[in-house]
Amino acid sequence: MLDVIVVGGGHAGIEAALIAARLGCETALISLSLENIGKMPCNPSVGGPAKGIVVREIDALGGQMGITADQTALQFKMLNTTKGPGVQSLRVQSDKLAYARQMQEEILHQEHLQLILGICTGILVENGKITGITMEDGQTIDARAVILTTGTYMSSSVMISSEVTPSGPDGEPTTNKLSESLRQAGLKTFRLKTGTPPRVLTESIDFSKTTPQPGTDQFVAFSTTTRTIRRPEDQKLCYLTYTTPQTHELILTNLKKSSMYSGVVKGVGPRYCPSIEDKLVRFSDKPRHQIFLEPESESLDTTYVQGFSTSLPRDLQEQMVYSLPGLEHAVIRKYAYAIEYDAIDPLQLKPSLETLVVENLFTAGQINGTSGYEEAAAQGLMAGINAVLKLRNQPPLVLRRDEAYIGVMIDDLVTKGTQEPYRLLTSRAEFRLLLRHDNADQRLMHYGYKLGSISEQRWQDYQRRRAQVEQLKEQLKTCRLTPKSPIQDALEAVGYAALTDGVSAEELVRRPHITVAMLKPALDFEFDAAAAAQTEIELKYEGYINKARKEAEKMMAMDHVVLPEDLDYDQVQHLSLEGRQKLKAIQPHTLGQASRISGVSPADIAMLAMVLEQRHRKEQKI
């Protein structure tokens, strides 16, 4: 019997299978084919606002996505650099074929991990506990825990206008049997929709009519293990173009031919990554929309038309593409389509991503109602970790909202649920100044080290990096700069008067626009760029960071109050009717989680706190 079976070889399945095997569990990954592992069926990129920070968090916990993304990137770009550190994040343009190949190699060569090719058609349950899965060929595979990471492959249909084909992405097989098996086990499913834009022949684009979008000319990476990246001069360009009035007219006069607006689509589409038809309807006041042209791979001659997702007919897609500046003579290599699929209601999950209905059954990725490679990978990693911990009879790893975007996402899913594909945004995090790109290892690496997914060498490297920051802070504090210091020109260049008296280097760094690098001519000690950048953030934003930590501590107090699994909400007096119903359905893990459930009032929380206090007193007497 296997310890863990992971169904699905996408971004969630990869992380779940690798972490379970790396932590010593005998694990099997079920995939349609070897080639399906690590595929990027939609955008050929990793990271972006909030998402890039998630990849850093995955890396800090011992996951694989950041390492592979760094090694197979065509371009590195730090986003929102003119804004505060709480919203800055990394995005890489990926070589989609190289990324998939590297992930396949990781799977094939991972100890304790075997690959099984085929289609899972059902789960096996005895007395409310998972015992394994069934395969399309009739085979049954026994396991102590199962993690479903089926992406968009459950009961999926591909749609172009009124043309509906039962199929997974790119014409691959789908199965209705797994959804039915989950429903028979007591899990609720619902329909969601997503889509993808056309791909065009790169040499058919006139890039002179578009705006080049270069990467960042500094060293930036997702993984702290990355030592070298593609040189800036060797990175590939992306390009920016825009929709035109002709584009808008073509779409708006043919809306009824879109799968979404003709009534063919039953599921809800992504609010934050809508089709181009949806954009024009929702934002009718905008005269144009950005369209990014992104290379898919050095081994392919295709360009991804980012922001142009549609389900309109093929002939209309051609006219729409021709209406974009630079694409007047573009050759479409792959037409856009919409895809509809089954997902489970995430309110049926514990914060560990184990289902409330079936013990030792975990789910991760788009099956939980999310969108995006990064959201999927993060859930896969957490499901894999928690499946292992469950088999070891150890408490689950549940990340708080103030210590990880992963914690924000999972708490949102299991506490609030979702009716549309969920996407991480910086605005979802109350404490985003604490959840920065630069400090992911500081927030999370101790968990990975304790689990055993972070090696001793990586842990020592982190300790050295952190010591450098603390040492640099102390040096800046004790270093005094005078009017004779060789920094007067640098100060004047950013709008400050020349020094007339002595001042500490630390005080100067706290001022806007002044960096540690600017002061280097006057400093008599060495430092590296990464330590300097983190030191600047911690000094400049110290007051805001401390305030956020105090607010987080208030929330943390309730999140430390665990609600017993045997708590009978029907026996708790004076709960509101809606509050009682929501608490029984969601089964919150902590008092803090209960307080974030829509429909649970402050009075309900007060009653729960009173009941817990009474139980605690009785236990003490016993």
Side-chain angles (χ1 to χ4, degrees):
M1 175 183 283
L2 291 162
D3 292 318
V4 178
I5 291 175
V6 179
V7 179
H11 303 281
I14 289 169
E15 298 293 347
L18 286 176
I19 199 68
R22 288 170 179 173
L23 294 178
C25 283
E26 294 304 320
T27 306
L29 175 64
I30 312 295
S31 178
L32 287 171
S33 67
L34 175 62
E35 292 71 30
N36 266 62
I37 295 172
K39 281 184 68 173
M40 292 182 162
C42 199
N43 55 306
S45 65
V46 174
K51 294 167 175 277
I53 300 173
V54 168
V55 182
R56 293 275 290 176
E57 293 174 353
I58 291 169
D59 183 68
L61 290 167
Q64 185 64 35
M65 175 175 264
I67 297 171
T68 302
D70 286 345
Q71 294 176 356
T72 59
L74 299 174
Q75 183 195 86
F76 294 79
K77 189 164 190 174
M78 202 69 186
L79 306 178
N80 297 325
T81 53
T82 60
K83 298 179 181 179
V87 295
Q88 293 177 17
S89 57
L90 176 62
R91 180 185 189 271
V92 304
Q93 192 63 37
S94 297
D95 185 318
K96 61 186 288 186
L97 297 188
Y99 183 96
R101 282 195 299 268
Q102 184 159 324
M103 284 304 196
Q104 291 156 19
E105 288 297 311
E106 290 291 335
I107 294 295
L108 290 173
H109 294 97
Q110 177 60 52
E111 190 178 3
H112 302 297
L113 177 59
Q114 60 175 292
L115 175 62
I116 299 175
L117 302 181
I119 296 177
C120 171
T121 54
I123 59 171
L124 298 172
V125 183
E126 290 183 12
N127 300 320
K129 190 172 185 177
I130 200 80
T131 61
I133 62 169
T134 58
M135 299 291 288
E136 189 176 46
D137 61 5
Q139 177 187 10
T140 62
I141 307 174
D142 297 331
R144 298 166 63 203
V146 172
I147 305 172
L148 298 180
T149 65
T150 51
T152 59
Y153 285 85
M154 284 204 315
S155 301
S156 51
S157 297
V158 167
M159 293 161 285
I160 300 178
S161 190
S162 59
E163 178 186 323
V164 181
T165 306
S167 164
D170 297 327
E172 292 168 341
T174 184
T175 175
N176 296 320
K177 293 181 179 179
L178 182 55
S179 297
E180 184 57 35
S181 176
L182 295 177
R183 287 190 287 268
Q184 288 177 359
L187 289 159
K188 301 173 185 175
T189 66
F190 67 114
R191 300 291 280 174
L192 288 177
K193 169 258 177 188
T194 188
T196 189
R199 279 71 158 173
V200 302
L201 182 64
T202 302
E203 65 180 22
S204 68
I205 300 173
D206 182 356
F207 289 107
S208 68
K209 296 182 179 179
T210 66
T211 306
Q213 302 291 298
T216 299
D217 60 358
Q218 300 171 1
F219 180 88
V220 287
F222 285 124
S223 178
T224 57
T225 65
T226 299
R227 297 291 176 263
T228 60
I229 62 172
R230 184 182 286 239
R231 296 183 305 173
E233 59 268 29
D234 295 331
Q235 293 182 23
K236 301 298 181 182
L237 286 172
C238 297
Y239 296 86
L240 173 64
T241 188
Y242 293 91
T243 58
T244 64
Q246 183 186 356
T247 316
H248 293 208
E249 183 180 359
L250 280 166
I251 294 170
L252 293 174
T253 56
N254 290 282
L255 269 182
K256 291 185 178 179
K257 296 180 181 179
S258 163
S259 302
M260 176 65 78
Y261 289 92
S262 66
V264 171
V265 170
K266 305 300 181 187
V268 181
R271 178 192 306 244
Y272 301 105
C273 189
S275 66
I276 189 65
E277 301 98 283
D278 234 6
K279 287 181 188 177
L280 297 192
V281 171
R282 292 185 192 179
F283 310 107
S284 57
D285 57 321
K286 285 199 171 186
R288 63 178 188 173
H289 293 272
Q290 291 183 330
I291 304 295
F292 289 94
L293 306 177
E294 303 173 344
E296 290 202 297
S297 170
E298 288 188 302
S299 303
L300 294 173
D301 58 358
T302 52
T303 291
Y304 183 86
V305 188
Q306 174 77 270
F308 215 54
S309 174
T310 183
S311 58
L312 283 162
R314 294 175 182 83
D315 59 337
L316 268 171
Q317 288 188 38
E318 292 176 358
Q319 296 178 58
M320 290 159 55
V321 167
Y322 300 153
S323 72
L324 302 175
L327 281 80
E328 293 88 350
H329 305 289
V331 176
I332 297 179
R333 278 294 175 88
K334 181 180 176 182
Y335 289 92
Y337 62 84
I339 185 166
E340 194 174 50
Y341 55 95
D342 276 352
I344 68 162
D345 183 348
L347 291 178
Q348 301 165 105
L349 299 175
K350 299 177 182 179
S352 64
L353 298 181
E354 182 185 15
T355 66
L356 290 165
V357 178
V358 180
E359 187 178 357
N360 287 3
L361 174 63
F362 295 76
T363 57
Q366 285 181 281
I367 189 175
N368 288 344
T370 59
S371 68
Y373 305 150
E374 304 82 2
E375 289 93 336
Q379 291 173 72
L381 182 68
M382 298 307 296
I385 288 170
N386 283 321
V388 173
L389 292 175
K390 181 71 184 293
L391 296 181
R392 292 176 179 172
N393 294 315
Q394 295 177 359
L397 174 60
V398 177
L399 301 176
R400 302 188 311 271
R401 297 182 70 92
D402 65 299
E403 63 183 353
Y405 270 99
I406 297 174
V408 172
M409 170 180 62
I410 293 176
D411 185 63
D412 280 351
L413 290 172
V414 305
T415 303
K416 303 173 184 176
T418 187
Q419 298 299 315
E420 60 189 31
Y422 175 99
R423 181 182 183 183
L424 265 172
L425 305 165
T426 54
S427 60
R428 295 192 189 274
E430 309 93 312
F431 307 110
R432 58 179 177 268
L433 189 55
L434 302 181
L435 311 180
R436 306 187 306 274
H437 168 93
D438 68 281
N439 70 349
D441 53 357
Q442 189 179 346
R443 292 183 275 118
L444 299 178
M445 194 169 279
H446 62 285
Y447 289 124
Y449 180 62
K450 182 179 178 182
L451 282 166
S453 58
I454 293 294
S455 68
E456 183 65 34
Q457 180 62 54
R458 283 196 70 181
W459 179 247
Q460 293 302 325
D461 288 344
Y462 160 68
Q463 297 281 50
R464 281 191 288 271
R465 290 195 304 272
R466 190 61 213 165
Q468 286 178 5
V469 172
E470 295 303 325
Q471 182 182 16
L472 182 53
K473 283 183 179 179
E474 187 60 30
Q475 288 171 325
L476 291 171
K477 186 177 181 179
T478 58
C479 179
R480 196 154 186 83
L481 304 179
T482 70
K484 293 183 180 180
S485 300
I487 58 165
Q488 303 286 38
D489 291 344
L491 292 177
E492 291 177 4
V494 292
Y496 289 97
L499 293 178
T500 58
D501 201 356
V503 63
S504 74
E506 178 195 54
E507 184 179 333
L508 284 179
V509 170
R510 290 182 184 276
R511 298 179 185 178
H513 312 302
I514 295 180
T515 66
V516 176
M518 287 171 53
L519 306 183
K520 192 167 187 177
L523 303 177
D524 59 356
F525 47 84
E526 291 298 318
F527 52 84
D528 65 35
Q534 192 163 42
T535 298
E536 287 168 20
I537 291 171
E538 292 182 10
L539 289 178
K540 289 182 186 295
Y541 294 89
E542 184 177 35
Y544 297 104
I545 290 171
N546 289 340
K547 182 179 179 182
R549 282 185 179 142
K550 287 179 181 178
E551 291 298 317
E553 285 168 4
K554 294 178 185 177
M555 184 177 75
M556 199 188 312
M558 283 207 296
D559 276 327
H560 281 163
V561 180
V562 177
L563 294 171
E565 290 188 4
D566 63 351
L567 181 59
D568 185 351
Y569 293 105
D570 284 328
Q571 299 303 314
V572 179
Q573 296 181 353
H574 307 302
L575 287 178
S576 67
L577 179 61
E578 183 181 8
R580 193 186 307 275
Q581 291 172 340
K582 293 288 182 69
L583 290 165
K584 288 167 64 177
I586 297 172
Q587 293 291 309
H589 179 65
T590 67
L591 193 63
Q593 185 190 352
S595 71
R596 294 187 289 275
I597 297 174
S598 175
V600 176
S601 68
D604 294 331
I605 298 301
M607 292 308 304
L608 287 177
M610 187 182 302
V611 168
L612 294 176
E613 179 63 25
Q614 290 171 350
R615 284 181 61 142
H616 179 64
R617 288 176 182 172
K618 287 180 181 178
E619 289 169 358
Q620 283 185 323
K621 288 181 180 179
I622 295 172

